[in-house]
Amino acid sequence: MASENETLASVDPFKLLQITLNPDGTLTRHINLGKTPANPEESSDNPIAVLSKDITINPSNKTWVRIFLPIPKPSTKLPVFLYFHGGGFIISSPDDTTFHEFCSNLATELHVIIVSASYRLGPEHRLPAAYDDAMEALYWIKTSNEIWLENYADLSNVFVMGISAGGNVAYQLGLRAAEQADNLSPLKIKGLILHHPFIGGVERTESELRSDAPLFRPCVSDLMWELSLPIGVDRDHEYCNPTVGSSNSSAFEKIKRLGWRVFVAGCHGDQLIDRQIELVKIMEKAYIQVVSRFVGGSHGLELLDHSKAMELFVALKDFVLSSI
């Protein structure tokens, strides 16, 4: 196996991510991930299982949500998933075809409403901007008079979910929301779903050292953190490394007292697996109810493999039903 220095010499993370860092500190994003427009109306010409529509949250920050409503429209109110996309905090959006299709399938299989929220990206808007946007999206759900949410959303059964960087956002939002739970009523969070959460640290783990994934190598994640963390900090900052310090102890205590459950999903071929397992252990040590699901495969597996996504949805359905 090549050494890390040899790997770094042979791999250009900027080329892999199809991005260019400009002199003014902004990014030019060349990558074309494909976009899917929202579909808010039923049509006999184009039968679909889920309706979707886009709503602006904060015009100044250009943040918005895409809401997914399974059809036929439900006769009873449904649990709500606040969902955050991946992309290493520097690329992607809720209307990327991959995330649109995943959320559509999730809404259908679990029979839930999905509110897929955008957030500002680095390096133009470094962390904690994404966490601030996530909290704004949560409060927007609480106070919104949006007709689909008013008619079909059960705000007493809310789950916060994200994949990769979105999993990190879901985790950090959970810490914040636990501290503000009294202010969120009547919205009640029942659980956090951390799907391949993007976390890190300065010292390499064994899974990072043995990683040979063609697209998501340590040098790629290093660049993502370099472009998204606050300037002047390293990967042992609390936004990246949840094992450092004791700043989470108060929030963990509140999560335990609130009875929130946490679902952590990962893949053994993911460079992040060791860190994800350690995160599970930390939460279990704090007596938080954690369900972990680690399977074979690589980072983002269920976004690309429909059959694997269906297996995940079965596990998530059990998690949701046992949490409400």
Side-chain angles (χ1 to χ4, degrees), residues 1-303:
M1 181 180 294
S3 70
E4 183 178 1
N5 287 338
E6 290 172 335
T7 299
L8 289 173
S10 61
V11 175
D12 183 342
F14 285 95
K15 289 184 177 179
L16 278 177
L17 294 169
Q18 299 179 48
I19 58 175
T20 300
L21 183 60
N22 301 313
D24 64 356
T26 63
L27 277 188
T28 299
R29 298 165 175 86
H30 308 283
I31 191 168
N32 180 7
L33 297 172
K35 300 292 183 182
T36 297
N39 195 343
E41 301 290 342
E42 297 181 64
S43 169
S44 57
D45 297 330
N46 181 28
I48 53 175
V50 181
L51 299 178
S52 56
K53 64 176 164 181
D54 298 339
I55 307 288
T56 297
I57 290 184
N58 187 324
S60 297
N61 291 337
K62 299 180 180 178
T63 53
W64 55 282
V65 297
R66 175 163 292 184
I67 307 176
F68 296 82
L69 176 68
I71 52 176
K73 293 177 181 177
S75 57
T76 58
K77 293 195 173 185
L78 304 180
V80 176
F81 274 43
L82 175 56
Y83 182 86
F84 300 100
H85 65 80
F89 295 110
I90 60 172
I91 58 174
S92 294
S93 174
D95 60 352
D96 288 351
T97 295
T98 297
F99 297 117
H100 175 91
E101 292 181 350
F102 183 86
C103 286
S104 295
N105 292 331
L106 183 63
T108 301
E109 295 300 320
L110 271 66
H111 208 55
V112 297
I113 293 174
I114 309 288
V115 179
S116 180
S118 74
Y119 50 87
R120 288 170 291 170
L121 303 175
E124 295 88 349
H125 305 282
R126 292 176 176 269
L127 297 174
Y131 308 148
D132 296 339
D133 296 339
M135 182 60 80
E136 186 172 28
L138 185 65
Y139 273 97
W140 177 84
I141 292 173
K142 171 197 168 181
T143 59
S144 175
N145 58 2
E146 198 287 317
I147 191 67
W148 285 2
L149 297 184
E150 276 196 343
N151 289 344
Y152 306 114
D154 179 1
L155 296 189
S156 68
N157 286 310
V158 174
F159 294 82
V160 179
M161 177 178 182
I163 183 169
S164 194
N168 178 300
V169 173
Y171 172 76
Q172 294 288 343
L173 175 58
L175 298 181
R176 290 190 180 192
E179 301 281 5
Q180 301 181 33
D182 292 341
N183 298 327
L184 289 170
S185 182
L187 184 151
K188 294 183 180 179
I189 294 173
K190 292 298 180 68
L192 310 178
I193 301 170
L194 314 182
H195 185 196
H196 303 189
F198 182 44
I199 51 181
V202 171
E203 186 176 348
R204 292 287 192 230
T205 64
E206 290 185 10
S207 61
E208 289 170 337
L209 291 172
R210 67 171 179 265
S211 174
D212 59 359
L215 298 178
F216 190 57
R217 302 184 180 192
C219 62
V220 173
S221 57
D222 288 353
L223 177 61
M224 290 171 165
W225 287 119
E226 181 182 337
L227 295 174
S228 60
L229 283 170
I231 291 175
V233 308
D234 62 23
R235 294 192 305 275
D236 280 337
H237 189 276
E238 62 183 304
Y239 296 162
C240 176
N241 188 346
T243 69
V244 298
S246 57
S247 58
N248 298 337
S249 58
S250 173
F252 278 1
E253 178 61 30
K254 287 184 171 63
I255 288 173
K256 181 186 72 171
R257 193 177 337 124
L258 290 163
W260 297 0
R261 303 175 75 230
V262 182
F263 185 101
V264 181
C267 289
H268 292 295
D270 186 351
Q271 59 153 315
L272 304 179
I273 185 70
D274 287 353
R275 299 190 185 280
Q276 294 161 354
I277 291 173
E278 184 62 26
L279 177 59
V280 169
K281 292 178 179 177
I282 291 171
M283 289 190 289
E284 289 177 336
K285 189 175 180 180
Y287 300 102
I288 294 172
Q289 302 175 62
V290 183
V291 175
S292 58
R293 182 179 185 270
F294 298 110
V295 299
S298 56
H299 192 78
L301 169 72
E302 292 89 0
L303 291 178

